[in-house]
Amino acid sequence: MAPRTRDHRSSQALEPVSPAGVTSMGWFVPSSVFDAGARKTTVRLVTFAAYLVCILACTCGTDTGDTASVDTGSGDTGTTDTDTDTDTDTGGGHGDADGDGYPNSIDCNDDDPDVFPGAPELCNGIDDDCDGLIDEDAADTITLYADVDGDGYGDIDAPIETCETTLPGYTDNSDDCEDADAAINPGQPEIDCDWIDNDCDSVVDLGLSVPGTWPTVQGALDGAADGDVVCVETGLWSELLNLGDPRHITLVGEGEGLTVLDAGSLALHVQVSNGATLTMQSMTVQGGGGATGAAFGVTSAALELSSVEITGLSCTGTGSCLGLVTYCNGADVVFDDVWIHGIAASSVGHMGGLFDNVTVGSTWNLTDVTIEDVALVGGGNGIYGGLLPWCQIAGCSLTIDGANIFDNQLEGAVVYPALGWVLQSDWTDTAVFDNDILATDSAMLTGIGTGGGTMQRVEFVANTVNSGGTIWGV
């Protein structure tokens, strides 16, 4: 509202009026403008207002750019533009050519109505909001996700907002559930018994399993088809197992110490025979104490162990103890990454050691095997075989690659030999150290059978052989 004023010659308040041509000027005249006593004052005010309007119109007018109406500077003192340019007269830096409401003194692009201070910043490569920055905090960014493993699937926990549609190391989806492993993403098939959600569907698909498909491990051995892989979940499975027909069954646990097969009694734990092949992975086998085999009995069959722990074996009976780990007859045995430890056994008769064979030749392939903390005491004639296989018949062979044998103790009248004796033996990258061999008659640390064999990069360090009789050489 326009301010009110008072005529110094009259006590009557002056009211705002809007004479023609000065409606925006806010001039005031008395309400009795046509009274005779105020005529002179009114005329003076109106005349002065008209004068100011004329001045302002000449200085603040806008050049329309129409050259036909431009003053040529001939001395005409009219109210038209007196310059000869064809540009907009900015009126001293306050023009707004693009009509966006911001004068060019603060508008960083007065030719674009979408550019002005406070405009939304967009991903367009220009400074929309006139803050000197380009595309910062843009309103139309897209979200990309880190793809560390490069499999085309991104990590939902590693998003960025960007104006770029593609960036190295990023992708436009967040579907990866394990961005450190390119083999895990929604495009991968599920792998049985790896205990991983391979296809990122939030489900670990096990396939055949215990207890999912069968309630017991023996139930799986009975019901699985040739070639089946059966997942055995974490737990203590107290069973004696038997696979006695020509099928190949694979049992896969969740890991050593997690999936535990326990004999639950002093008997042979696992029997494999009649052309069967049993593969066991990622589990612990403990207990068992049969006189002819405590852990595994393998007859005309194959046994394959990988990432398996064997522990807690014992020996029962009043006679001999033969083959605590494997008792074989025509067997093919493969151990890969097997840990044998914590075994303490004694026998009334002689001790057949950890690996023994009967009448038909067997083969043992031991890779990355550790044998430690084993204490064997042999009665009668002592220990035959000791820590490694004993087989002096045709067809027997032993291959050792990367074994560590240490901190074991063998005691008996005879320890012959402490590290087995197979007609054909080949040793590679193996260390034998800190073992104690106590014999009252004779002892043999190791031997290579008469069929021949080789030793490459094999070390024997700090082993103690204490014998009251003959010590057979290495």
Side-chain angles (χ1 to χ4, degrees):
M1 180 175 180
R4 302 173 66 90
T5 185
R6 185 177 295 275
D7 190 331
H8 69 282
R9 291 171 297 179
S10 172
S11 61
Q12 181 180 6
L14 299 181
E15 300 295 336
V17 297
S18 301
V22 293
T23 56
S24 62
M25 301 305 296
W27 301 107
F28 301 90
V29 298
S31 59
S32 57
V33 65
F34 297 108
D35 291 343
R39 288 179 183 274
K40 293 182 179 181
T41 302
T42 303
V43 170
R44 291 189 186 98
L45 288 173
V46 172
T47 302
F48 180 67
Y51 175 73
L52 289 178
V53 168
C54 178
I55 294 175
L56 291 173
C58 291
T59 59
C60 298
T62 299
D63 185 347
T64 63
D66 184 336
T67 58
S69 61
V70 174
D71 187 330
T72 60
S74 60
D76 188 334
T77 60
T79 60
T80 58
D81 185 357
T82 59
D83 59 25
T84 59
D85 64 13
T86 59
D87 300 325
T88 300
D89 190 335
T90 61
H94 297 288
D96 181 14
D98 55 14
D100 59 7
Y102 291 84
N104 59 17
S105 59
I106 59 174
D107 195 334
C108 57
N109 186 350
D110 204 30
D111 292 327
D112 189 338
D114 294 326
V115 176
F116 54 84
E121 191 74 21
L122 301 175
C123 291
N124 53 15
I126 65 176
D127 179 13
D128 300 280
D129 56 3
C130 297
D131 65 352
L133 303 174
I134 295 176
D135 293 351
E136 88 291 354
D137 299 326
D140 58 346
T141 58
I142 63 173
T143 304
L144 297 181
Y145 300 88
D147 181 17
V148 175
D149 56 16
D151 60 2
Y153 296 89
D155 183 356
I156 193 172
D157 294 324
I160 62 169
E161 296 297 320
T162 178
C163 288
E164 304 297 330
T165 57
T166 60
L167 284 175
Y170 289 84
T171 187
D172 61 357
N173 69 81
S174 59
D175 299 333
D176 206 336
C177 57
E178 178 48 79
D179 199 36
D181 190 338
I184 300 176
N185 60 60
Q188 294 295 324
E190 196 70 27
I191 299 174
D192 289 343
C193 302
D194 67 351
W195 314 101
I196 294 173
D197 178 16
N198 306 98
D199 57 5
C200 293
D201 64 353
S202 300
V203 177
V204 177
D205 301 316
L206 297 180
L208 303 175
S209 68
V210 176
T213 310
W214 296 279
T216 64
V217 180
Q218 184 58 52
L221 294 181
D222 292 338
D226 182 30
D228 277 349
V229 176
V230 179
C231 315
V232 184
E233 296 186 31
T234 292
L236 180 65
W237 304 93
S238 298
E239 305 178 49
L240 300 181
L241 306 179
N242 183 17
L243 180 61
D245 59 74
R247 288 175 296 147
H248 183 183
I249 307 298
T250 300
L251 302 177
V252 181
E254 289 197 57
E256 298 175 15
L258 297 177
T259 299
V260 180
L261 305 183
D262 193 312
S265 64
L266 300 179
L268 176 61
H269 197 167
V270 182
Q271 298 186 63
V272 189
S273 61
N274 299 322
T277 299
L278 178 61
T279 300
M280 301 175 68
Q281 302 173 3
S282 303
M283 61 182 62
T284 293
V285 176
Q286 68 184 29
T292 53
F296 299 95
V298 188
T299 302
S300 301
L303 174 68
E304 301 171 349
L305 304 184
S306 176
S307 300
V308 171
E309 174 190 22
I310 301 174
T311 188
L313 306 181
S314 60
C315 182
T316 60
T318 58
S320 302
C321 291
L322 308 177
L324 291 172
V325 175
T326 63
Y327 183 69
C328 298
N329 195 26
D332 292 317
V333 177
V334 177
F335 283 10
D336 183 7
D337 185 25
V338 174
W339 180 27
I340 301 170
H341 71 104
I343 298 174
S346 60
S347 64
V348 177
H350 79 272
M351 172 68 70
L354 299 184
F355 303 87
D356 205 352
N357 194 76
V358 189
T359 58
V360 180
S362 298
T363 62
W364 293 266
N365 288 279
L366 311 181
T367 302
D368 294 331
V369 172
T370 297
I371 302 174
E372 63 171 312
D373 189 26
V374 173
L376 303 179
V377 178
N381 294 325
I383 298 175
Y384 287 82
L387 302 173
L388 292 173
W390 165 276
C391 184
Q392 294 188 359
I393 60 179
C396 287
S397 67
L398 168 65
T399 301
I400 299 178
D401 184 11
N404 286 286
I405 304 171
F406 61 95
D407 287 341
N408 303 293
Q409 181 173 303
L410 307 180
E411 182 178 353
V414 174
V415 180
Y416 180 79
L419 296 178
W421 194 350
V422 178
L423 288 181
Q424 178 68 37
S425 297
D426 295 293
W427 294 41
T428 306
D429 296 322
T430 294
V432 181
F433 57 97
D434 293 334
N435 299 288
D436 294 329
I437 302 169
L438 309 175
T440 58
D441 185 1
S442 61
M444 181 177 184
L445 187 60
T446 188
I448 294 180
T450 57
T454 60
M455 284 192 175
Q456 301 180 36
R457 298 179 299 279
V458 178
E459 295 184 353
F460 296 88
V461 179
N463 297 290
T464 300
V465 181
N466 180 13
S467 175
T470 305
I471 299 176
W472 296 62
V474 175

